[in-house]
Amino acid sequence: MSLNQIERAQGLRIRSTQDLAGGLFMVVLAIGAYIFAWDLPVGTLRQLGPGMLPKAFAAICGALGIMLAVASLRYNGESLSGWSWKGIFFALGGACLFGLTIRGFEFGPIQIPALGLLVSGPLLIFFSGLAADDRKFKELLIFALAMSAACILLFKYALSLPIPLAPWLLGI
């Protein structure tokens, strides 16, 4: 009996639950993105509308998700393992911390002043870096300062975006 006959005899079965879960997640994400972009006009290729990019990304993401899910039926792979809650907490927490501190916010008695990119950038990178198991604090601090300097040069000066740099210190 050849290998192809053995595979046909076994039928379609899930050989990589991790790829199947990832593919299905990508399809659900694509459907959600397409629904949110439903009302946006697509335009033409000559004059792109605001809905062209999100709908194209949703279609590409959905197609890749379907291909990944189909590949999970054909090729052996990893089984679905547990989640790293520490990584999710620190990665999403860092993004939330950045959003709350870059311009500041006030919610009832809770008030966080606007810290600007000079403080929020390193804070984001350092807090998100805590998710890694092999972190070294000295390397993480150097990386946070270097990336923040690059972001300040890029966004504030090269692109001239109205991002507060250090409103508490320089007023800009």
Side-chain angles (χ1 to χ4, degrees), residues 34 43 88 134 171:
Y34 204 84
I88 293 171
D134 60 345

Side-chain angles (χ1 to χ4, degrees), residues 18-127:
Q18 188 172 8
D19 289 347
L20 181 67
L24 293 178
F25 176 76
M26 287 176 67
V27 169
V28 169
L29 183 70
I31 291 169
Y34 204 84
I35 289 172
F36 282 123
W38 185 262
D39 293 337
L40 297 174
V42 177
T44 64
L45 288 178
R46 207 173 260 276
Q47 187 172 2
L48 300 177
M52 177 72 80
L53 190 64
K55 288 180 181 177
F57 279 156
I60 292 168
C61 183
L64 290 174
I66 290 170
M67 289 181 354
L68 186 61
V70 169
S72 73
L73 301 174
R74 175 130 175 96
Y75 302 107
N76 293 327
E78 299 282 328
S79 63
L80 193 60
S81 59
W83 291 54
S84 171
W85 290 106
K86 181 177 79 168
I88 293 171
F89 172 76
F90 282 114
L92 292 179
C96 292
L97 191 62
F98 178 79
L100 293 174
T101 58
I102 186 119
R103 294 196 188 267
F105 88 103
E106 188 174 322
F107 183 71
I110 300 170
Q111 182 178 1
I112 295 178
L115 299 177
L117 192 57
L118 192 65
V119 175
S120 297
L123 191 64
L124 159 73
I125 296 168
F126 193 78
F127 192 81

Side-chain angles (χ1 to χ4, degrees), residues 147-166:
M147 284 300 296
S148 296
C151 287
I152 289 169
L153 290 173
L154 175 66
F155 295 120
K156 186 70 176 174
Y157 296 110
L159 297 175
S160 299
L161 294 177
I163 296 175
L165 186 58

